[in-house]
Amino acid sequence: MKDLNTTGPAPSAEDMKLIKQFLEDTTLFLGPDPEIMQNHDLMERSPDEELAIGQNFDHHMIARIRDRLQSGCDEGYEMVEQMGAAPGAKWGDVITGIYTASGDLALASAGGVLLFSSVVHHPIKFIVKNWMNEPTVGVRDGDGFIHNDSRYGNVHNTDQSMILPIFHEGRLVCWVASTVHEGENGAIEPGGMPSMAESPSDEGLKMSPFKVVENYQIKRDLLTFLQNSVREPKLQLEDMKVKLFACLRIKQRIEETLNTEGPEALVAMLRLTMEDVRTEVKRRLTEWPDMSVQTYIIQDSTLRENCVVKVNCKLTKKGDRLIFDFRGSSPEFTNRATNTILGGLKGMLSQLFLCYIWPDLPRGQAAMAPIEVITDPHSILNCSYDAPNSQSLMSIFTGFTAGQHAVAKFLYSCPEKYTKVHAPTFNMINTFIWGGVSQHGETLGNLCADLNGMGAGATSNRDGEHALAPIFATMADIGEQEVNEEDVPFLQLVSKKMTRDAIAPGKYRGGQGYTMMVATKDSEQWGFMTTAQGAKIPPIQGLFGGYACGTYPLSKVKDVDVYEILQSEPEKFRHSIEEIMNERPFEEASYTTHHMGMGFEISKRGELFMISQGAGAGYGDLLERDPVGVVKDIEEGLISAEVAARLYKVVFDPATLAIDFEATEAAREEERQARIARSMPYAEFVKDWTQPKPPSHLKYFGCWGDDIDTLYMGAPDVTRRADTPKPNYMPHPKDVRIAELEARLANAGIDGGELQ
Amino acid sequence: MKIPMTEYLRIDLETEKWECRVCDHVIAPAEGNYKEGLLVHNRNPQEIHPPVIDPKMYRYTFAPDPDWVRILEFCCPKCGTQVETEYAIPGHPPLWDMQVDVPALKAQWAARGPEMLPDAGPVVAPGRAHSH
Ligand SMILES: [Zn+2]
């Protein structure tokens, strides 16, 4: 058979033009564009930018314009935070930014979730490429575009963006955009982040970028369609308006600059800001030692079942290049929601650099632009179009932690640091997502801002702070629970009380997480879900001899109405998970524990759902911890005296907590000798320890050891080539349970067959 | 010149060795895996992260599952300082976590000079350090 590609003359340039035109004219669907979606570097300088930069503006003037517009972005951010209806908006899960005419993010608000805006350049580039010259769409002054589908550039489709082009005398000079974690999006579970999604079709509203505003007015027909697609129609309207007005305020600030300094100065400022940051990042990288650092982080569930999902990271720095190599990480799950698109992972790595490593750099896309990222196709960190990703945070955050852990080992020897060397911060969204009909008869679906209360990692000079901030928004707030309770039919009966002994020990210990106990009160149609990993394996690593956090389960107390008990026998109530679960003070109740992937579950009045936020990692050898710090932790209820004495080898009077320093130093020296005695030389140890394949008792996903070309898919004998995608279906947990029970029936000699 | 690379490890550029910063013990060649010169203990994670709720009553207790994850504790064979930990899946080869380009490190520090050395580090208690 003839090969059409290799016989006959090559098509002429004329023919190629025709073929290209034909393909463009007959494109049936404008899906996510790989050219846009795989690239996070800056666009080429445009002719307009060349021209503007050629005018050689004074650097001080450029800096002055940048500061003015930075304030404009911050002003827009404040507006969204103050006026936004979504709980996420109120607590800072928001960002605003200014993008170049080609779509690169040049400036972002100082507060908020930078991660959002470092993915929004993708949909803007999609609009530039596809809608600008499309006669049925077009881009004009007064237009606004909406977007949420992560496959076109987003973290997950619970975040919605409003994108406005800014024109000056008929010429497009830049874009502004505002993004908010909205919550509700019409997915199979309320709240916008379904862990039950088994395909993108289960994830609710999937907006490719489209025009929803004309002449600065939201188009009512499209608005109604969007409202009709989600559980919170009022929220959809309110926040579209809020984002539009925030964008218009930034537009006003830009226009003030355009009127005083002219469009060239603005265009030059946006471009030079990015180029200068990119150059400075390259310079800073040369200060790092040339080295490769390896680490891995384990996700211990898909949120549906426990299993071992590897996020593998080799970070290499050579000269002025930095390369994140995530090959060997788990294959994507075809029917689980914990996959992420590559842009989400890169956005979070950008967050790592701008919030934890070089917080002095202007916030935008440029800091991440020169940094390289390698992944396997159809892997959990670079998933395909057909894979669900509504719980992408699981992979984005564990990918972030791998990066945070690796980077610390580069920074230690650098003479100039811009932050302290930092152990990993806690990385899971341990909070309650909720939904149903409220005490006011309104349909709601959203979450408690306690996801923002992640414990911070320790640094080279001090303990991590408790419940400090989420890794995705270092300046976000954990919100006022009492304010929230005016709108929702449940109470947090225990809120923001540190969970004792859920620790991350070290010379400097990690900041701790707090307990949350919720119980529905004023609705018969109300439920909760939790979406976090780390109930069997800690989701972080420790640093330089410090320990990671422990693990965090979900506890439930059912067949009880604690509100009745609080009325009739209040002395029975306990204020810690430890006491309630161990003492079981409510006689008739049932007490159970679970992993943190609870699908949406309707709750009855007075049943308790109890979880804890997590601790950041510890730093350094715990035997070096100041004994005074250990006793302070006991006094503050972070650690019990017994655990403190056993781990830290601090000798103190149990009644007064007075420290015997000499005895402590002796006990610690004894422990160092005991370590030497109980440990083995490395070569001898690995002979016994190291196995050629993952253990058969674990469902293991990802590479094993250094062989990154082979990815295990749930069993030691089921693999795929890393570069060759293959479906990876998980059975329904209920089917697994049924099969187990049927096997038991069969073993007992009972025929559980079809006709029985 | 001796370059502090972690809280407890440094590289001596002249001898090209990893050394312990607490007791000066020479650990391993700098171009290799420093872990090969350390001692290892396979720690049950429940000893460090104790169950907060009773493991006799519950499946999930706030303590990691020791069949799913172990803590590899690496310590200096001379002074017993815990240099690094690694939360590892049972049987997973320990990582060569810092693969240093030694010639590049030498060139970098030849250009910098010793006055640029970072000064943070462990508290070196008398008696634990190498006696001079
Ligand atoms: Zn030593």
Side-chain angles (χ1 to χ4, degrees):
Chain A
M1 195 179 144
K2 274 190 183 176
D3 186 338
L4 292 175
N5 292 323
T6 55
T7 57
S12 66
E14 183 80 357
D15 289 345
M16 282 309 292
K17 209 176 139 199
L18 264 173
I19 292 169
K20 190 166 175 284
Q21 186 65 45
F22 172 79
L23 288 174
E24 271 172 19
D25 291 348
T26 53
T27 299
L28 297 178
F29 170 55
L30 288 170
D33 188 331
E35 207 176 274
I36 295 173
M37 291 308 301
Q38 295 288 324
N39 185 15
H40 66 282
D41 204 347
L42 306 179
M43 302 293 277
E44 294 286 308
R45 264 193 198 181
S46 70
D48 275 1
E49 286 168 339
E50 286 286 0
L51 213 64
I53 291 166
Q55 297 201 11
N56 289 319
F57 291 103
D58 174 38
H59 278 280
H60 296 291
M61 179 176 138
I62 294 285
R64 200 170 61 237
I65 302 176
R66 179 165 57 236
D67 289 349
R68 269 171 78 174
L69 293 183
Q70 178 68 53
S71 305
C73 290
D74 294 343
E75 194 182 347
Y77 168 84
E78 288 290 331
M79 285 175 69
V80 180
E81 196 182 32
Q82 297 299 325
M83 301 192 305
K90 287 178 199 148
W91 302 315
D93 289 0
V94 166
I95 197 108
T96 54
I98 302 177
Y99 298 72
T100 66
S102 315
D104 290 328
L105 174 66
L107 284 181
S109 56
V113 182
L114 186 67
L115 167 56
F116 291 165
S117 62
S118 55
V119 284
V120 176
H121 67 101
H122 297 306
I124 296 181
K125 287 165 187 171
F126 180 92
I127 295 168
V128 169
K129 185 169 178 177
N130 295 299
W131 298 158
M132 198 97 96
N133 297 315
E134 165 60 45
T136 61
V137 188
V139 175
R140 283 174 283 272
D141 204 5
D143 287 349
F145 293 81
I146 194 167
H147 161 256
N148 80 332
D149 187 347
S150 50
R151 295 171 300 180
Y152 290 82
N154 208 347
V155 177
H156 44 201
N157 68 326
T158 186
D159 303 336
Q160 296 189 20
S161 295
M162 179 66 79
I163 301 165
L164 261 61
I166 308 296
F167 287 85
H168 181 72
E169 292 171 356
R171 176 159 72 97
L172 178 70
V173 287
C174 63
W175 300 79
V176 295
S178 161
T179 307
V180 175
H181 180 115
E182 292 293 355
E184 232 322 286
N185 62 3
I188 53 165
E189 293 172 289
M193 297 194 292
S195 48
M196 290 293 154
E198 296 204 355
S199 89
S201 304
D202 293 334
E203 295 176 326
L205 197 55
K206 289 275 183 184
M207 297 187 278
S208 54
F210 66 90
K211 194 187 294 187
V212 73
V213 171
E214 272 176 352
N215 297 319
Y216 307 110
Q217 300 291 317
I218 296 171
K219 288 161 69 86
R220 197 71 196 249
D221 54 344
L222 291 176
L223 169 68
T224 305
F225 160 69
L226 296 176
Q227 291 177 299
N228 193 40
S229 306
V230 299
R231 292 178 182 81
E232 293 202 46
K234 284 202 296 193
L235 171 74
Q236 185 64 35
L237 166 65
E238 284 166 24
D239 278 3
M240 279 172 71
K241 282 168 79 173
V242 167
K243 279 176 288 194
L244 175 60
F245 287 126
C247 286
L248 289 175
R249 178 62 61 85
I250 302 171
K251 176 174 183 280
Q252 185 188 331
R253 298 299 174 228
I254 293 171
E255 280 167 350
E256 287 161 11
T257 300
L258 287 169
N259 292 335
T260 52
E261 324 287 350
E264 272 68 35
L266 172 80
V267 169
M269 181 280 287
L270 293 175
R271 181 73 203 180
L272 290 175
T273 296
M274 296 192 305
E275 290 184 3
D276 290 351
V277 170
R278 198 180 188 286
T279 306
E280 173 64 5
V281 164
K282 288 279 210 186
R283 188 195 68 77
R284 290 184 184 190
L285 287 175
T286 60
E287 298 289 307
W288 294 16
D290 280 9
M291 178 163 72
S292 283
V293 169
Q294 288 197 72
T295 182
Y296 64 90
I297 303 295
I298 296 296
Q299 305 177 19
D300 70 357
S301 92
T302 63
L303 299 179
R304 300 285 300 281
E305 56 270 290
N306 280 122
C307 55
V308 178
V309 180
K310 189 187 208 182
V311 169
N312 195 50
C313 179
K314 182 173 188 173
L315 180 59
T316 300
K317 182 266 166 182
K318 197 163 177 54
D320 65 355
R321 288 178 68 194
L322 184 66
I323 304 149
F324 282 95
D325 186 349
F326 285 105
R327 288 176 298 172
S329 297
S330 168
E332 76 178 24
F333 289 96
T334 311
N335 61 344
R336 293 292 181 265
T338 47
N339 310 292
T340 182
I341 63 141
L342 181 57
L345 171 71
K346 288 173 176 176
M348 198 62 206
L349 292 172
S350 169
Q351 180 98 18
L352 169 67
F353 287 101
L354 286 171
C355 294
Y356 290 89
I357 299 168
W358 303 315
D360 58 319
L361 291 180
R363 290 159 67 98
Q365 190 187 328
M368 187 64 197
I371 296 169
E372 298 158 62
V373 180
I374 311 173
T375 53
D376 292 317
H378 294 219
S379 64
I380 194 151
L381 299 177
N382 180 12
C383 73
S384 64
Y385 181 76
D386 298 312
N389 63 36
S390 43
Q391 279 295 343
S392 61
L393 294 185
M394 299 302 122
S395 292
I396 291 176
F397 291 171
T398 44
F400 166 93
T401 301
Q404 187 172 35
H405 187 228
V407 163
K409 296 184 180 180
F410 285 92
L411 293 182
Y412 194 89
S413 69
C414 291
E416 191 177 7
K417 301 179 185 72
Y418 303 86
T419 49
K420 295 290 177 190
V421 176
H422 199 304
T425 283
F426 190 70
N427 60 0
M428 283 290 140
I429 49 171
N430 291 6
T431 190
F432 287 102
I433 302 175
W434 39 254
V437 178
S438 78
Q439 67 272 40
H440 310 301
E442 292 199 44
T443 301
L444 301 177
N446 228 301
L447 48 74
C448 294
D450 295 293
L451 84 165
N452 289 358
M454 296 173 182
T459 64
S460 55
N461 64 335
R462 67 174 193 194
D463 292 338
E465 291 186 60
H466 308 309
L468 179 66
I471 49 174
F472 52 85
T474 42
M475 287 196 259
D477 190 0
I478 51 177
E480 291 294 337
Q481 183 53 32
E482 290 77 8
V483 173
N484 191 27
E485 284 168 359
E486 289 174 13
D487 297 329
V488 293
F490 69 91
L491 301 180
Q492 275 203 19
L493 293 169
V494 172
S495 182
K496 306 183 179 60
K497 178 189 174 182
M498 293 299 153
T499 309
R500 193 176 71 157
D501 287 340
I503 46 170
K507 172 182 177 180
Y508 298 108
R509 52 132 184 82
Q512 221 146 303
Y514 57 78
T515 294
M516 294 157 260
M517 290 186 200
V518 296
T520 298
K521 187 164 168 286
D522 303 314
S523 172
E524 290 181 4
Q525 196 178 338
W526 192 260
F528 299 100
M529 62 188 273
T530 56
T531 61
Q533 299 162 333
K536 285 177 92 72
I537 301 178
I540 58 178
Q541 294 271 0
L543 188 64
F544 300 154
Y547 291 99
C549 60
T551 49
Y552 299 89
L554 163 71
S555 303
K556 298 181 192 172
V557 186
K558 297 209 162 189
D559 304 318
V560 66
D561 180 346
V562 293
Y563 294 110
E564 287 294 321
I565 288 178
L566 286 168
Q567 283 275 343
S568 53
E569 304 164 284
E571 68 282 0
K572 279 192 175 170
F573 193 76
R574 302 285 184 277
H575 291 84
S576 70
I577 299 172
E578 183 179 352
E579 292 164 292
I580 288 180
M581 295 303 280
N582 290 344
E583 296 174 21
R584 299 188 170 185
F586 322 124
E587 289 83 9
E588 304 299 313
S590 73
Y591 301 78
T592 55
T593 61
H594 311 263
H595 67 69
M596 286 284 288
M598 172 175 67
F600 182 72
E601 186 170 309
I602 288 290
S603 70
K604 293 207 184 85
R605 180 185 146 101
E607 292 174 342
L608 286 174
F609 293 75
M610 306 184 290
I611 60 173
S612 173
Q613 255 293 359
Y619 179 105
D621 182 350
L622 79 174
L623 295 183
E624 290 197 350
R625 179 160 180 73
D626 184 350
V628 175
V630 175
V631 165
K632 188 159 174 270
D633 288 350
I634 299 171
E635 289 170 335
E636 292 180 352
L638 303 177
I639 189 169
S640 56
E642 178 272 317
V643 174
R646 181 167 60 77
L647 290 183
Y648 285 102
K649 308 296 174 196
V650 175
V651 181
F652 52 82
D653 181 321
T656 63
L657 298 181
I659 300 163
D660 182 337
F661 288 93
E662 249 171 62
T664 297
E665 196 37 56
R668 287 179 164 187
E669 191 44 42
E670 199 181 312
E671 173 63 8
R672 288 185 189 101
Q673 294 309 318
R675 274 180 184 163
I676 293 170
R678 69 175 169 248
S679 303
M680 281 159 84
Y682 183 87
E684 207 180 305
F685 175 80
V686 292
K687 257 187 249 161
D688 252 13
W689 162 269
T690 298
Q691 300 299 319
K693 284 182 175 189
S696 54
H697 71 279
L698 298 179
K699 285 191 169 59
Y700 182 94
F701 296 87
C703 75
W704 186 255
D706 285 336
D707 175 13
I708 59 167
D709 296 326
T710 304
L711 303 184
Y712 289 86
M713 297 173 68
D717 54 349
V718 184
T719 62
R720 78 167 229 210
R721 299 245 336 137
D723 57 7
T724 314
K726 213 170 152 181
N728 181 22
Y729 281 97
M730 298 295 278
H732 196 295
K734 280 188 177 155
D735 290 340
V736 173
R737 185 68 183 146
I738 289 168
E740 281 169 9
L741 296 173
E742 283 181 345
R744 277 167 64 181
L745 285 178
N747 278 343
I750 300 164
D751 182 359
E754 201 171 307
L755 298 178
Q756 304 304 310
Chain B
M1 215 182 325
K2 297 183 180 211
I3 313 303
M5 298 297 287
T6 82
E7 184 74 9
Y8 302 113
L9 294 171
R10 66 180 178 231
I11 288 177
D12 184 326
L13 294 180
E14 279 75 55
T15 61
E16 302 193 7
K17 302 280 190 200
W18 287 101
E19 295 179 353
C20 174
R21 294 177 69 193
V22 176
C23 73
D24 300 341
H25 178 68
V26 176
I27 292 171
E31 76 271 12
N33 183 353
Y34 67 82
K35 288 177 182 171
E36 291 177 9
L38 299 176
L39 303 179
V40 197
H41 176 58
N42 172 4
R43 173 77 88 160
N44 179 342
Q46 298 192 328
E47 294 170 11
I48 303 297
H49 308 286
V52 172
I53 54 181
D54 191 343
K56 291 193 288 294
M57 293 154 81
Y58 302 107
R59 204 146 53 109
Y60 297 92
T61 64
F62 287 86
D65 185 332
D67 293 332
W68 284 51
V69 65
R70 310 295 295 187
I71 307 173
L72 304 184
E73 298 177 341
F74 297 92
C75 76
C76 171
K78 189 166 164 228
C79 68
T81 297
Q82 185 159 295
V83 170
E84 195 48 284
T85 60
E86 183 176 332
Y87 286 65
I89 301 303
H92 193 285
L95 297 179
W96 180 7
D97 64 332
M98 294 172 80
Q99 305 178 27
V100 180
D101 182 337
V102 180
L105 192 70
K106 283 179 145 180
Q108 191 172 43
W109 281 95
R112 278 176 183 158
E115 62 279 3
M116 298 282 276
L117 286 170
D119 54 3
V123 180
V124 180
R128 283 173 61 208
H130 183 74
S131 54
H132 293 281

